[in-house]
Amino acid sequence: MDRRELLDPFAGMLASCCAPADIRRIEAGGTHLEMWEAIESSGFLQALVPESQGGIGLRMASVAPLFMALGGNAVPLPVAETMIARSLLSTAGIGTISGSIALACQNGAGSTFVPYGRVCDHVLIDDGSALQLFDVRQLERQYTNVPGSVDAWLNLPKSGEALRIIRPGSGISHLGALVSAAAISGAADRLLDMTTTYANERVQFGKPIGRQQALQQQLAVMAEDVIAVRLAAELACQNSFLPSEIPAATAKIIASNAAVRIANTAHAVFGAIGISAEHDLQLFTRRLHNWRQAFGSEQYWQIRLGAKRLKSELRSIDWVRNTYEC
């Protein structure tokens, strides 16, 4: 199966069930069941589950374009996270869990911040020693005060109410970071397309604003960022289902660094109209800011990546070659 054979039906499915009006309804607190049922019935959630356990058995590199398409459609549900969670659970011998599954990492006692925590059915939490699967309906949720956010803080019970499975050696935080980087890549691609189209259509003083040299320079930098993010996300997905922490960290650093510049340039070109609630631009730029922080900002991953580099006695070039198996 080549890239188009997998991506085209997935993109068509998203186009039919995830229109901007559907996103706005869910962000406003409306039901997401219809959108989720369309995604679940498509069968794509089984993409990373081995064929021997009823899945499709694809590698992470094959599904990376799907993760990017989710970002390019600003899907407000944990679709990529559910694909990964189902694979982890199947590896542990647990059958398919119906409903959406968010990923999160527990930091100490008290509430845990969960991306998509407002709309998920389950959450798979890395507590540092094991992975715990909770039914979110049994947990107390505290919504953020960010308008349109689908994230939430969840109060976890102290013990005994979760399904526990063995934790992968490096945990799942880097998997969440990788998914966020891929989503940023997809949304950034969409924003570049929207921004260049607008710059070529918006006429001021008798010519499209896209012909102004200052604006062309901004768009060129934006395009460089978009390509860099896409390459970093694809490289991080190229090896195996559980990519190592270093490529994932690198992808998240590059994506989170570029996210703010890309969002700022898009709004600069569109002007005030782009920030209005009625305009679709803000659906994607708000997501860039959300995904930039999800599973650690660029500074968080820079510190972790730097610590790993300092522990190695290899020359930097050899360290990079080993990481990416050049």
Side-chain angles (χ1 to χ4, degrees):
M1 181 181 295
D2 65 23
R3 179 189 176 102
R4 298 309 318 180
E5 288 178 324
L6 182 66
L7 180 58
D8 286 351
F10 186 75
M13 181 267 295
L14 292 181
S16 66
C17 72
C18 190
D22 300 315
I23 299 171
R24 287 185 171 89
R25 184 187 67 248
I26 293 172
E27 288 184 343
T31 179
H32 59 271
L33 295 180
E34 186 177 344
M35 183 184 295
W36 183 256
E37 287 172 358
I39 294 170
E40 185 152 27
S41 62
S42 71
F44 282 103
L45 295 176
Q46 295 290 95
L48 291 170
V49 176
E51 290 184 83
S52 59
Q53 299 184 47
I56 306 175
L58 297 178
R59 294 167 59 86
M60 186 69 87
S62 300
V63 300
L66 308 189
F67 292 173
M68 294 175 186
L70 293 167
N73 286 272
V75 177
L77 299 173
V79 179
E81 290 80 356
T82 302
M83 291 183 190
I84 290 174
R86 285 191 176 188
S87 182
L88 290 170
L89 292 170
S90 70
T91 303
I94 299 171
T96 299
I97 301 292
S98 181
S100 59
I101 308 174
L103 303 178
C105 297
Q106 187 174 9
N107 296 314
S111 299
T112 297
F113 182 75
V114 179
Y116 303 103
R118 206 191 81 192
V119 293
C120 66
D121 299 305
H122 307 272
V123 58
L124 188 64
I125 292 187
D126 182 353
D127 67 2
S129 59
L131 301 184
Q132 300 186 72
L133 181 68
F134 290 94
D135 185 334
V136 171
R137 291 169 296 185
Q138 299 174 357
L139 305 179
E140 181 183 349
R141 303 189 211 200
Q142 298 176 346
Y143 299 157
T144 69
N145 292 322
V146 179
S149 173
V150 292
D151 303 333
W153 294 86
L154 301 183
N155 292 330
L156 305 182
K158 291 184 178 178
S159 63
E161 297 184 22
L163 178 64
R164 294 175 66 89
I165 65 173
I166 296 175
R167 175 181 183 266
S170 52
I172 62 172
S173 63
H174 69 294
L175 295 176
L178 179 56
V179 167
S180 300
I184 289 173
S185 174
D189 258 329
R190 180 71 173 268
L191 285 169
L192 179 62
D193 182 59
M194 293 173 69
T195 306
T196 52
T197 299
Y198 180 79
N200 288 324
E201 293 176 347
R202 175 79 167 92
V203 176
Q204 195 172 47
F205 305 117
K207 65 179 182 180
I209 60 174
R211 292 185 186 175
Q212 299 174 15
Q213 187 174 10
L215 194 145
Q216 288 175 344
Q217 183 177 4
Q218 285 184 297
L219 291 174
V221 173
M222 184 181 186
E224 290 175 355
D225 278 332
V226 169
I227 293 171
V229 174
R230 187 191 310 159
L231 289 175
E234 289 178 345
L235 278 172
C237 291
Q238 70 176 350
N239 289 329
S240 62
F241 165 62
L242 288 177
S244 73
E245 189 174 13
I246 296 172
T250 304
K252 189 61 163 64
I253 291 168
I254 293 173
S256 290
N257 255 326
V260 175
R261 288 194 299 271
I262 292 169
N264 288 349
T265 300
H267 280 293
V269 173
F270 272 87
I273 191 173
I275 205 169
S276 63
E278 293 78 10
H279 202 286
D280 290 346
L281 190 77
Q282 53 85 19
L283 297 177
F284 300 95
T285 54
R286 283 191 295 107
R287 287 283 192 279
L288 287 189
H289 289 290
N290 279 355
W291 289 324
R292 178 197 176 201
Q293 296 294 337
F295 296 98
S297 67
E298 64 270 32
Q299 183 179 25
Y300 170 82
W301 286 105
Q302 284 165 350
I303 293 172
R304 289 188 62 160
L305 188 63
K308 283 187 172 293
R309 172 67 191 97
L310 291 174
K311 286 181 180 178
S312 173
E313 295 181 353
L314 294 173
R315 297 183 305 160
S316 291
I317 185 64
D318 295 327
W319 187 71
V320 171
R321 283 173 175 156
N322 281 357
T323 299
Y324 290 95
E325 298 179 357
C326 296

